[in-house]
Amino acid sequence: AADAALAIDAEDHKAWYRKLQAEKGLGKFKEAEASLARLEDVAQWCPDRHRIMRDCDTERRRLKIAKAKHKADTQEMLGRAFEAGVFSIDRERELEEAAKALEGPPQRAAPKLDDGKPKAAPKPIEEPKPLERKIHLTAALAGDLMDE
C-alpha cells in the first residue's frame, strides 16, 4: 500500500513512514534505513519538519534496537538448531534411515489368540441423526437468503 501511495506521490512523508514501518516489520533493515533516509529528505520541505525529524530520530533508535533483537533471536535459533543436531553430518544418515524404514515392508500385527470366551454380537449400525441448525433469523440474514 505504501508503494502504491509513493507511486502517486513520491514526496508523501506519511507513505515513506508507512513503508519504513513495513520494511522494519519484515526484517528488511537495509531497505528500512534507506526509506528512513528518504523520509528525512522529504521532511525538509514539510511545514511540520521539526516534528517529523524528531520522529525520524526515534525511528532510527527503534530500527537499531529491532535490528539487534533480530540478530540475537537468529543467533539463539541457530544455536538451538545446532544443539538439536539439525545441521550435523549424521542428519543425512538419519534421514536416509527414516526413508528406508518408510519404504520397507509393512510390519504385521501379531495374531490374536482365541481365549475361548463367547464374543458379544456386534451392535447394529444406527443411522446418523439429521443435522439440526438453530439459526436466529435477522433482517440482514433474511436479505442475504433472498439474494441467493
Side-chain angles (χ1 to χ4, degrees), residues 8-100:
I8 295 170
D9 182 9
E11 301 297 316
D12 184 4
H13 68 279
K14 290 181 183 180
W16 281 109
Y17 182 78
R18 290 182 184 120
K19 183 173 181 171
L20 162 69
Q21 293 297 317
E23 290 169 341
K24 182 175 75 171
L26 292 171
K28 297 180 177 181
F29 299 112
K30 288 185 181 184
E31 291 89 344
E33 288 173 358
S35 294
L36 181 60
R38 183 69 176 123
L39 173 60
E40 289 172 335
D41 291 342
V42 169
Q44 297 299 323
W45 306 105
C46 293
D48 56 345
R49 66 179 164 270
H50 297 294
R51 181 190 56 81
I52 296 171
M53 294 305 284
R54 271 195 318 266
D55 290 346
C56 286
D57 289 339
T58 303
E59 268 316 306
R60 191 171 304 284
R61 286 191 297 272
R62 287 180 183 163
L63 187 60
K64 188 175 180 181
I65 290 168
K67 190 175 182 179
K69 185 179 181 319
H70 178 74
K71 185 176 180 181
D73 289 346
T74 302
Q75 286 177 340
E76 180 184 354
M77 176 190 61
L78 289 174
R80 287 183 182 176
F82 278 116
E83 288 174 7
V86 172
F87 301 114
S88 71
I89 296 173
D90 297 332
R91 182 75 175 170
E92 284 188 35
R93 184 176 44 81
E94 291 172 1
L95 291 174
E96 289 173 4
E97 289 173 1
K100 286 179 184 176

Side-chain angles (χ1 to χ4, degrees), residues 119-136:
K119 296 182 180 175
K123 294 181 181 178
I125 299 175
E126 297 177 17
E127 285 194 37
K129 295 179 182 178
L131 180 64
E132 294 181 19
R133 298 177 78 188
K134 296 180 181 179
I135 298 175
H136 180 70

